[in-house]
Amino acid sequence: ARRVPAYRALLAERGVNPRDVAGPADFLTRVPVVDKETLFRKNDLRALLVDGAINDVRSFFSSSGSTGVFSFGAESWRDADRAAWEVEFILDDAFGALSKRTLLVNALGPGIHIPTRTLPTIETGSRLDIAWELIKKLRGEFERFIIVGEQLLLKKLVEDGAAAGVPWKDLVVHIVSGAEYIAENFRGYMGSLLGHDPDDRARGSVNISFGLSEIANSIAKETPETQTLRRLAMSDTGVRQKLYGQGTRLCGALLQYDPRAYFIETSAPGPRRGEMILTALDRRRKIPLIRYNTRDIVDLLPHDRLAELLSDIGRPDLLPPFKLPFLIVWGKNKGLDAGDGRTVYPEEIKEALYADPTVASRTTGYFFLERSREGVRLLLQLRPGSTADGELEEKLKAQLSVFTAVAIEIRFLDHGQFPHFPNQSFDRKAAYF
C-alpha cells in the first residue's frame, strides 16, 4: 500500500484504509481479492513495481495470454541467484539432479527461463528437432535428463522423438509439466513410452509442478508419495472417496507447498473447494501479489489431515516426510453445458483420452467440445498419418463412460482438418470449448 502505486490506487478505489487491517480476521475481510484483469489489464508495469522502480529489474516474465489478458512477473538482479538456488534444491530433492550428471531441457514457451547455478541447461522452446538432436548427441555425457514443458508438446516430443531416433527407453528421463490439469492417465501413457517403472523412480518419472509466470515456476509440486497415492486412488474406489470425496470420477493432482512462501486460501468458506487465492509472502518481490485469485479450483489439505486419511486406509507409508500442507488441484472448473444441469469438463476428456494407449497414440491430445443437436460433440485431432475407425471410437467411448455421465458424440478429424489448433504452435494453451 505504501510502496506500490497501482495497489495504493486500488485500495483508495475500494475504500480500504491499510491502517484498518490489524490482524488475520481483518486481512480476510477487508483486503480486496484481485486477479489479472484487476491488476494487469488496467495498469502499466511500472505502477505495479515496488516504488515504481524499473531500473533494477533483471527479467520480465509473461503468461501465454491465452485468456486475452497477459499477466507479468519481474525479477531483480538480486533475486536471480536465490531463484536458482530454489530451482536446484527442488530438482535435487525430486531427482537427485546434483548427485549425478544431469541435463535440464527447458522446452517451455518463449520468455520462460529456468534459472540454475551449476546445472547444465538447454533452452529449446518448442523446437523439438533441436531437443532431439541435442539429446542424441549428449546421451553419453549425462546420466539423466529432466525435460520441462507443456503436456501436449511433451507428448509430441516423446512420440515423434522415437521416430527421429531418440532411444528413450535407454535413457533416464524425468519430465515435468503443470500449466493446466495433468491427467493421471497421461502419466501412465508417457511412462510407457519412456520405459518408466512406477515403483522405481530411478528409471524416470512424470511429474506435476504448479507454477504461474507472474509468481514462480514452482508454487506447489508432487512428491513420490503423492504420486503413488493418486495412482492408488484411481484404481481403488474406497481410497478415492476417502481422499477426494463421494461420487467423484476424477482424482485431482495432490501437490505440496511451503506456507512460509505462500499463504493460500480458497473462495469458499474455510478450506473447502474453491478458486485459489494466493498471497506471496516474500517482501522482496518486485511485483507483490496480495490475495491474488489464480482461477484454479483447489482443495486445501493440511498435513495432519492427510496423515489421518492415510492411517484410515492403512497406508501411513505414503505420508510425505516434509510436514507441509497440500493442495488438490482440479483445473479451471470451466466446462460445456450439456443440458439437464450437467456439464462436461476438459479434465474428464483428458483422463479418458489417455486411458487407452491406442487412442492416445493415434491422436495429438488436442480436442474441442461443442453443442450438437444430440447434446455434446467431441472433436479430436488425429496424429499425422493416423486414421480413425469404429474400433477406435468404441475404445474412447468406453473410457468416456468411466469419467463422465454425459453421452458424447465422437468425431475424429484428420490432422490438417482440425480447426481449433492454436496457431499451429505450442506457445498458447489449447481452447477446449
Side-chain angles (χ1 to χ4, degrees):
R2 185 173 64 251
R3 300 181 62 189
V4 179
Y7 197 70
R8 184 165 58 250
L10 171 72
L11 294 183
E13 177 186 304
R14 302 286 180 91
V16 176
N17 184 344
R19 296 180 184 277
D20 293 338
V21 182
D26 290 334
F27 181 84
L28 296 175
T29 56
R30 296 178 183 267
V31 177
V33 174
V34 298
D35 54 27
K36 65 180 179 180
E37 287 80 8
T38 306
L39 295 180
F40 296 103
R41 186 193 290 276
K42 298 180 180 180
N43 298 288
D44 61 36
L45 275 179
R46 181 181 287 274
L48 292 168
L49 293 166
V50 172
D51 298 327
I54 206 167
N55 58 305
D56 65 336
V57 174
R58 174 184 183 270
S59 301
F60 289 102
F61 311 104
S62 172
S63 67
S64 68
S66 57
T67 63
V69 179
F70 287 91
S71 52
F72 301 94
E75 180 182 82
S76 71
W77 292 94
R78 180 189 59 195
D79 293 335
D81 192 54
R82 186 177 77 252
W85 276 95
E86 291 173 355
V87 166
E88 292 195 355
F89 171 79
I90 289 171
L91 296 179
D92 192 51
D93 177 57
F95 313 120
L98 302 182
S99 62
K100 292 191 176 182
R101 298 191 312 279
T102 301
L103 180 66
L104 176 64
V105 181
N106 178 5
L108 292 167
I112 304 179
H113 174 63
I114 302 176
T116 64
R117 298 172 306 118
T118 61
L119 199 63
T121 302
I122 56 175
E123 301 200 359
T124 64
S126 58
R127 284 291 303 273
L128 305 185
D129 53 343
I130 294 176
W132 296 328
E133 286 305 308
L134 280 168
I135 291 171
K136 286 190 292 184
K137 295 289 187 184
L138 295 171
R139 57 173 296 197
E141 305 296 330
F142 294 95
E143 297 172 87
R144 64 189 65 188
F145 295 84
I146 301 172
I147 308 176
V148 185
E150 303 278 0
Q151 61 179 317
L152 294 180
L153 180 142
L154 291 170
K155 181 179 189 295
K156 184 174 177 63
L157 175 76
V158 173
E159 288 174 336
D160 292 4
V166 181
W168 294 119
K169 293 185 178 181
D170 295 335
L171 307 175
V172 176
V173 178
H174 299 280
I175 67 174
V176 182
S177 191
E180 53 183 277
Y181 180 89
I182 307 294
E184 182 60 29
N185 286 325
F186 174 81
R187 192 197 318 271
Y189 174 68
M190 294 294 287
S192 68
L193 300 180
L194 293 166
H196 291 172
D197 179 347
D199 299 317
D200 182 8
R201 285 176 61 83
R203 297 272 299 276
S205 61
V206 177
N207 306 271
I208 300 173
S209 177
F210 179 87
L212 294 169
S213 57
E214 61 268 45
I215 300 175
N217 283 327
S218 184
I219 295 168
K221 66 181 184 66
E222 288 184 305
T223 72
E225 296 83 6
T226 64
Q227 288 182 3
T228 301
L229 180 55
R230 190 188 189 202
R231 187 169 68 249
L232 177 62
M234 286 284 288
S235 61
D236 188 313
T237 303
V239 173
R240 183 166 64 251
Q241 292 180 350
K242 279 275 189 183
L243 182 60
Y244 295 107
Q246 296 289 327
T248 182
R249 295 173 181 240
L250 294 178
C251 298
L254 183 59
L255 312 178
Q256 196 169 39
Y257 72 96
D258 186 349
R260 299 166 301 177
Y262 306 103
F263 173 68
I264 298 178
E265 45 183 315
T266 75
S267 59
R272 292 185 301 180
R273 186 176 306 176
E275 294 181 336
M276 184 169 81
I277 299 172
L278 180 148
T279 298
L281 301 178
D282 187 348
R283 296 181 62 178
R284 296 170 295 185
R285 292 181 60 87
K286 288 298 298 177
I287 301 180
L289 292 173
I290 310 297
R291 301 201 80 198
Y292 183 73
N293 190 334
T294 71
R295 304 297 181 195
D296 298 280
I297 304 301
V298 301
D299 283 303
L300 303 181
L301 184 63
H303 190 273
D304 290 348
R305 176 58 183 149
L306 182 60
E308 293 175 7
L309 292 174
L310 293 174
S311 178
D312 289 344
I313 65 173
R315 292 301 305 269
D317 58 302
L318 294 182
L319 185 66
F322 291 126
K323 294 184 178 180
L324 304 173
F326 301 87
L327 297 174
I328 299 176
V329 180
W330 297 98
K332 294 293 186 181
N333 201 36
K334 295 179 180 178
L336 182 69
D337 181 7
D340 300 325
R342 296 177 300 169
T343 303
V344 180
Y345 294 98
E347 293 79 12
E348 298 168 335
I349 306 300
K350 289 181 183 181
E351 289 290 2
L353 188 58
Y354 292 105
D356 189 295
T358 302
V359 177
S361 65
R362 288 165 66 176
T363 55
T364 63
Y366 280 96
F367 61 86
F368 193 82
L369 290 160
E370 61 185 18
R371 292 297 302 270
S372 68
R373 289 182 179 180
E374 292 75 21
V376 175
R377 181 185 297 119
L378 172 63
L379 307 178
L380 301 108
Q381 185 185 44
L382 291 166
R383 289 182 66 197
S386 293
T387 58
D389 52 33
E391 181 184 5
L392 189 67
E393 182 175 339
E394 288 303 313
K395 284 177 177 290
L396 179 56
K397 189 175 294 185
Q399 294 300 332
L400 285 170
S401 68
V402 174
F403 295 102
T404 178
V406 177
I408 298 176
E409 174 192 351
I410 298 171
R411 183 174 297 176
F412 294 98
L413 299 176
D414 288 341
H415 187 270
Q417 296 179 341
F418 187 75
H420 303 290
F421 195 107
N423 301 325
Q424 296 293 308
S425 75
F426 295 94
D427 296 337
R428 285 180 175 268
K429 294 178 183 177
Y432 295 116
F433 50 87

